[in-house]
Amino acid sequence: EACRRGREIAENTLAHYRDLHGDWPDSTAVILWGFETTKTRGETVGQVLAYLGVRIIPGSNPYHKKLEPVPPAELGRPRVDCLVQICGFFRDMYPNVLEMIDRAFSLVSDLDEPPEENAVRKHTLRLTEELAGAVPEDRLRRIAAGRIYGPRAGEYGTRTTHLIETGAWTSEEEIADLFTSTMSHLYSGTIHGERQPAAYRARLGRVELVSQVRD
């Protein structure tokens, strides 16, 4: 049910964007919070999978869901990329769901599909080229395919609230820099909360639509 509702949210959001701009977005972003995931039973997770054109295989292990790509003809639109911004509570409460979403990104990144039909693969290949030489070769593909970012392990929040409430800033860039510094920790495969500012900023720079499901 959460996947069905999440898919409905995703398709309505994409349709609204297309009505406004005349085309599908290449890349979206979602804010994924732990308490909202609990209260909505995972609607945002369903939304992310729907953007990618991925579905859970019914009857698979509840602790290790099997995934499959929706065929392009059935999907009826391009696969849309998605940056997932998690909070610390989601990281701690749902490590198995975090791992599943990460597998979905890797699955779609590896599909042999043209770039106009698969923005996830297109952006993974592009970021692989952009980061070549800047990160170790054996970790390059994992970082380029990773889409889940948040605070480092053991930390919560963006650290911007105190800065804003006290007025201890002189430019918006200070707030943005603090946010990106705090929330640019990648969670992908064996990479757990490792700061990747260059990859994170590249992801942010491609986002055309941001949404958040609230209970």
Side-chain angles (χ1 to χ4, degrees):
E1 181 64 12
C3 285
R4 184 193 68 78
R5 289 171 63 88
R7 184 169 61 253
E8 183 179 348
I9 293 168
E11 297 302 337
N12 287 344
T13 305
L14 293 176
H16 179 64
Y17 181 94
R18 197 179 190 194
D19 286 344
L20 291 175
H21 303 283
D23 202 357
W24 306 105
D26 237 21
S27 184
T28 64
V30 298
I31 314 299
L32 186 49
W33 283 0
F35 292 147
E36 265 64 23
T37 300
T38 300
K39 293 176 182 178
T40 67
R41 306 299 178 92
E43 289 178 8
T44 306
V45 177
Q47 180 186 10
V48 172
L49 295 180
Y51 282 147
L52 306 182
V54 171
R55 61 189 167 208
I56 297 172
I57 299 175
S60 56
N61 187 320
Y63 297 101
H64 187 79
K65 300 287 190 182
K66 293 183 180 179
L67 306 172
E68 65 178 5
V70 178
E74 181 181 340
L75 187 60
R77 59 164 173 79
R79 302 187 196 277
V80 177
D81 205 350
C82 185
L83 166 66
V84 179
Q85 188 78 69
I86 62 170
C87 70
F89 286 116
F90 181 87
R91 174 199 62 220
D92 297 346
M93 295 168 71
Y94 296 109
N96 58 316
V97 180
L98 189 153
E99 184 270 341
M100 181 190 71
I101 299 172
D102 182 56
R103 280 192 289 115
F105 285 121
S106 294
L107 173 65
V108 178
S109 290
D110 290 338
L111 293 175
D112 186 13
E113 295 175 342
E116 63 271 14
E117 293 183 7
N118 188 336
V120 183
R121 176 174 173 78
K122 177 176 67 174
H123 293 156
T124 295
L125 293 175
R126 185 178 299 170
L127 191 56
T128 300
E129 295 177 356
E130 292 174 2
L131 296 177
V135 300
E137 183 67 28
D138 61 339
R139 292 151 56 82
L140 178 58
R141 180 67 176 183
R142 171 57 59 189
I143 294 172
R147 302 294 199 280
I148 305 173
Y149 286 87
R152 68 182 181 184
E155 285 200 356
Y156 305 86
T158 64
R159 294 167 55 195
T160 58
T161 303
H162 178 74
L163 187 68
I164 295 170
E165 288 180 345
T166 59
W169 57 279
T170 56
S171 69
E172 292 181 358
E173 285 75 15
E174 291 179 59
I175 300 174
D177 288 344
L178 179 59
F179 180 91
T180 53
S181 174
T182 305
M183 302 300 283
S184 60
H185 297 83
L186 177 63
Y187 292 84
S188 180
T190 58
I191 300 174
H192 188 79
E194 181 180 298
R195 190 163 177 262
Q196 292 291 338
Y200 182 61
R201 286 183 177 274
R203 293 265 172 253
L204 285 178
R206 295 188 175 106
V207 170
E208 298 171 282
L209 169 69
V210 181
S211 69
Q212 180 176 12
V213 171
R214 298 297 302 271
D215 67 298

